[in-house]
PDB file of all heavy atoms in Angstrom:
ATOM      1  N   PRO T  11      72.676   0.313   1.118  1.00  0.00           N
ATOM      2  CA  PRO T  11      72.315  -0.257   2.450  1.00  0.00           C
ATOM      3  C   PRO T  11      70.969  -0.938   2.305  1.00  0.00           C
ATOM      4  O   PRO T  11      70.027  -0.389   1.739  1.00  0.00           O
ATOM      5  CB  PRO T  11      72.209   0.976   3.374  1.00  0.00           C
ATOM      6  CG  PRO T  11      72.973   2.059   2.659  1.00  0.00           C
ATOM      7  CD  PRO T  11      72.797   1.790   1.188  1.00  0.00           C
ATOM      8  N   VAL T  12      70.931  -2.185   2.724  1.00  0.00           N
ATOM      9  CA  VAL T  12      69.704  -3.015   2.562  1.00  0.00           C
ATOM     10  C   VAL T  12      69.200  -3.486   3.972  1.00  0.00           C
ATOM     11  O   VAL T  12      70.007  -3.655   4.887  1.00  0.00           O
ATOM     12  CB  VAL T  12      69.920  -4.245   1.617  1.00  0.00           C
ATOM     13  CG1 VAL T  12      70.215  -3.809   0.211  1.00  0.00           C
ATOM     14  CG2 VAL T  12      70.950  -5.167   2.200  1.00  0.00           C
ATOM     15  N   VAL T  19      60.157  -8.356   3.388  1.00  0.00           N
ATOM     16  CA  VAL T  19      60.212  -7.352   2.298  1.00  0.00           C
ATOM     17  C   VAL T  19      61.537  -6.609   2.430  1.00  0.00           C
ATOM     18  O   VAL T  19      61.883  -6.026   3.524  1.00  0.00           O
ATOM     19  CB  VAL T  19      59.045  -6.358   2.448  1.00  0.00           C
ATOM     20  CG1 VAL T  19      59.168  -5.268   1.420  1.00  0.00           C
ATOM     21  CG2 VAL T  19      57.700  -7.131   2.286  1.00  0.00           C
ATOM     22  N   ALA T  46      85.146   1.568  10.767  1.00  0.00           N
ATOM     23  CA  ALA T  46      86.087   0.445  10.569  1.00  0.00           C
ATOM     24  C   ALA T  46      86.089  -0.420  11.825  1.00  0.00           C
ATOM     25  O   ALA T  46      85.980   0.040  12.922  1.00  0.00           O
ATOM     26  CB  ALA T  46      87.508   1.013  10.321  1.00  0.00           C
ATOM     27  N   GLN T  63      79.597   7.460 -20.823  1.00  0.00           N
ATOM     28  CA  GLN T  63      80.433   8.666 -20.663  1.00  0.00           C
ATOM     29  C   GLN T  63      81.817   8.377 -20.162  1.00  0.00           C
ATOM     30  O   GLN T  63      82.623   9.270 -19.907  1.00  0.00           O
ATOM     31  CB  GLN T  63      79.715   9.621 -19.670  1.00  0.00           C
ATOM     32  CG  GLN T  63      78.375  10.052 -20.049  1.00  0.00           C
ATOM     33  CD  GLN T  63      77.264   9.035 -19.568  1.00  0.00           C
ATOM     34  OE1 GLN T  63      77.580   7.963 -19.029  1.00  0.00           O
ATOM     35  NE2 GLN T  63      76.025   9.354 -19.831  1.00  0.00           N
ATOM     36  N   VAL T  71      77.194  -3.393  -1.331  1.00  0.00           N
ATOM     37  CA  VAL T  71      76.026  -3.611  -0.525  1.00  0.00           C
ATOM     38  C   VAL T  71      76.472  -3.500   0.915  1.00  0.00           C
ATOM     39  O   VAL T  71      77.551  -3.918   1.270  1.00  0.00           O
ATOM     40  CB  VAL T  71      75.401  -4.992  -0.859  1.00  0.00           C
ATOM     41  CG1 VAL T  71      76.334  -6.147  -0.463  1.00  0.00           C
ATOM     42  CG2 VAL T  71      74.045  -5.164  -0.195  1.00  0.00           C
ATOM     43  N   TRP T  77      71.298   2.496   9.319  1.00  0.00           N
ATOM     44  CA  TRP T  77      70.372   3.552   9.662  1.00  0.00           C
ATOM     45  C   TRP T  77      68.952   3.136   9.261  1.00  0.00           C
ATOM     46  O   TRP T  77      68.368   3.631   8.276  1.00  0.00           O
ATOM     47  CB  TRP T  77      70.731   4.849   8.998  1.00  0.00           C
ATOM     48  CG  TRP T  77      72.100   5.349   9.403  1.00  0.00           C
ATOM     49  CD1 TRP T  77      73.273   5.109   8.748  1.00  0.00           C
ATOM     50  CD2 TRP T  77      72.416   6.032  10.578  1.00  0.00           C
ATOM     51  NE1 TRP T  77      74.349   5.636   9.438  1.00  0.00           N
ATOM     52  CE2 TRP T  77      73.813   6.217  10.621  1.00  0.00           C
ATOM     53  CE3 TRP T  77      71.694   6.510  11.645  1.00  0.00           C
ATOM     54  CZ2 TRP T  77      74.506   6.879  11.602  1.00  0.00           C
ATOM     55  CZ3 TRP T  77      72.343   7.209  12.637  1.00  0.00           C
ATOM     56  CH2 TRP T  77      73.711   7.351  12.647  1.00  0.00           C
ATOM     57  N   GLU T  86      61.022  -4.020  -5.554  1.00  0.00           N
ATOM     58  CA  GLU T  86      59.857  -4.501  -6.278  1.00  0.00           C
ATOM     59  C   GLU T  86      59.997  -5.926  -6.781  1.00  0.00           C
ATOM     60  O   GLU T  86      59.068  -6.705  -6.793  1.00  0.00           O
ATOM     61  CB  GLU T  86      59.523  -3.598  -7.434  1.00  0.00           C
ATOM     62  CG  GLU T  86      59.164  -2.208  -7.029  1.00  0.00           C
ATOM     63  CD  GLU T  86      57.799  -2.104  -6.389  1.00  0.00           C
ATOM     64  OE1 GLU T  86      56.889  -2.893  -6.737  1.00  0.00           O
ATOM     65  OE2 GLU T  86      57.632  -1.253  -5.438  1.00  0.00           O
ATOM     66  N   SER T  87      61.246  -6.282  -7.167  1.00  0.00           N
ATOM     67  CA  SER T  87      61.486  -7.575  -7.787  1.00  0.00           C
ATOM     68  C   SER T  87      62.931  -8.045  -7.547  1.00  0.00           C
ATOM     69  O   SER T  87      63.804  -7.187  -7.505  1.00  0.00           O
ATOM     70  CB  SER T  87      61.203  -7.459  -9.288  1.00  0.00           C
ATOM     71  OG  SER T  87      61.698  -8.555 -10.003  1.00  0.00           O
ATOM     72  N   ASP T 107      66.680  -1.679  -9.097  1.00  0.00           N
ATOM     73  CA  ASP T 107      66.168  -2.918  -8.473  1.00  0.00           C
ATOM     74  C   ASP T 107      66.929  -4.097  -8.949  1.00  0.00           C
ATOM     75  O   ASP T 107      67.210  -5.050  -8.185  1.00  0.00           O
ATOM     76  CB  ASP T 107      64.700  -3.137  -8.805  1.00  0.00           C
ATOM     77  CG  ASP T 107      63.754  -2.446  -7.873  1.00  0.00           C
ATOM     78  OD1 ASP T 107      64.206  -1.605  -7.000  1.00  0.00           O
ATOM     79  OD2 ASP T 107      62.545  -2.728  -7.886  1.00  0.00           O
ATOM     80  N   ALA T 111      68.941  -6.627  -6.526  1.00  0.00           N
ATOM     81  CA  ALA T 111      68.691  -8.061  -6.620  1.00  0.00           C
ATOM     82  C   ALA T 111      69.931  -8.822  -6.728  1.00  0.00           C
ATOM     83  O   ALA T 111      70.200  -9.846  -6.088  1.00  0.00           O
ATOM     84  CB  ALA T 111      67.734  -8.355  -7.747  1.00  0.00           C
ATOM     85  N   GLU T 122      76.533 -18.481   2.621  1.00  0.00           N
ATOM     86  CA  GLU T 122      76.829 -19.929   2.585  1.00  0.00           C
ATOM     87  C   GLU T 122      78.311 -20.295   2.433  1.00  0.00           C
ATOM     88  O   GLU T 122      78.705 -21.349   2.775  1.00  0.00           O
ATOM     89  CB  GLU T 122      76.045 -20.587   1.420  1.00  0.00           C
ATOM     90  CG  GLU T 122      74.557 -20.598   1.632  1.00  0.00           C
ATOM     91  CD  GLU T 122      74.086 -21.358   2.801  1.00  0.00           C
ATOM     92  OE1 GLU T 122      74.616 -22.486   3.061  1.00  0.00           O
ATOM     93  OE2 GLU T 122      73.198 -20.878   3.508  1.00  0.00           O
ATOM     94  N   GLY T 133      74.102 -12.500  13.829  1.00  0.00           N
ATOM     95  CA  GLY T 133      73.321 -11.771  14.748  1.00  0.00           C
ATOM     96  C   GLY T 133      72.069 -11.068  14.211  1.00  0.00           C
ATOM     97  O   GLY T 133      71.382 -10.304  14.923  1.00  0.00           O
ATOM     98  N   HIS T 134      71.780 -11.336  12.977  1.00  0.00           N
ATOM     99  CA  HIS T 134      70.657 -10.732  12.249  1.00  0.00           C
ATOM    100  C   HIS T 134      69.732 -11.820  11.655  1.00  0.00           C
ATOM    101  O   HIS T 134      69.768 -12.021  10.442  1.00  0.00           O
ATOM    102  CB  HIS T 134      71.127  -9.728  11.170  1.00  0.00           C
ATOM    103  CG  HIS T 134      72.072  -8.704  11.685  1.00  0.00           C
ATOM    104  ND1 HIS T 134      71.681  -7.655  12.428  1.00  0.00           N
ATOM    105  CD2 HIS T 134      73.448  -8.665  11.555  1.00  0.00           C
ATOM    106  CE1 HIS T 134      72.779  -6.929  12.729  1.00  0.00           C
ATOM    107  NE2 HIS T 134      73.839  -7.498  12.200  1.00  0.00           N
ATOM    108  N   PRO T 135      69.013 -12.574  12.478  1.00  0.00           N
ATOM    109  CA  PRO T 135      68.289 -13.682  11.990  1.00  0.00           C
ATOM    110  C   PRO T 135      67.234 -13.348  10.919  1.00  0.00           C
ATOM    111  O   PRO T 135      66.941 -14.163  10.014  1.00  0.00           O
ATOM    112  CB  PRO T 135      67.599 -14.300  13.238  1.00  0.00           C
ATOM    113  CG  PRO T 135      67.675 -13.227  14.274  1.00  0.00           C
ATOM    114  CD  PRO T 135      68.841 -12.397  13.925  1.00  0.00           C
ATOM    115  N   GLU T 136      66.700 -12.109  10.926  1.00  0.00           N
ATOM    116  CA  GLU T 136      65.748 -11.715   9.926  1.00  0.00           C
ATOM    117  C   GLU T 136      66.421 -11.674   8.570  1.00  0.00           C
ATOM    118  O   GLU T 136      65.816 -12.009   7.562  1.00  0.00           O
ATOM    119  CB  GLU T 136      65.069 -10.379  10.265  1.00  0.00           C
ATOM    120  CG  GLU T 136      65.961  -9.145  10.240  1.00  0.00           C
ATOM    121  CD  GLU T 136      67.033  -8.977  11.343  1.00  0.00           C
ATOM    122  OE1 GLU T 136      67.024  -9.777  12.295  1.00  0.00           O
ATOM    123  OE2 GLU T 136      67.780  -8.045  11.275  1.00  0.00           O
ATOM    124  N   GLN T 151      70.417 -23.842  -8.946  1.00  0.00           N
ATOM    125  CA  GLN T 151      70.948 -23.409 -10.259  1.00  0.00           C
ATOM    126  C   GLN T 151      72.339 -24.026 -10.502  1.00  0.00           C
ATOM    127  O   GLN T 151      72.627 -24.500 -11.599  1.00  0.00           O
ATOM    128  CB  GLN T 151      71.010 -21.900 -10.348  1.00  0.00           C
ATOM    129  CG  GLN T 151      69.673 -21.214 -10.501  1.00  0.00           C
ATOM    130  CD  GLN T 151      69.717 -19.699 -10.393  1.00  0.00           C
ATOM    131  OE1 GLN T 151      70.831 -19.153 -10.201  1.00  0.00           O
ATOM    132  NE2 GLN T 151      68.614 -19.077 -10.523  1.00  0.00           N
TER     133      GLN T 151
END
Side-chain angles (χ1 to χ4, degrees):
V12 296
V19 175
Q63 303 84 357
V71 64
W77 301 96
E86 297 289 326
S87 166
D107 273 11
E122 293 295 321
H134 306 285
E136 70 286 356
Q151 288 173 358

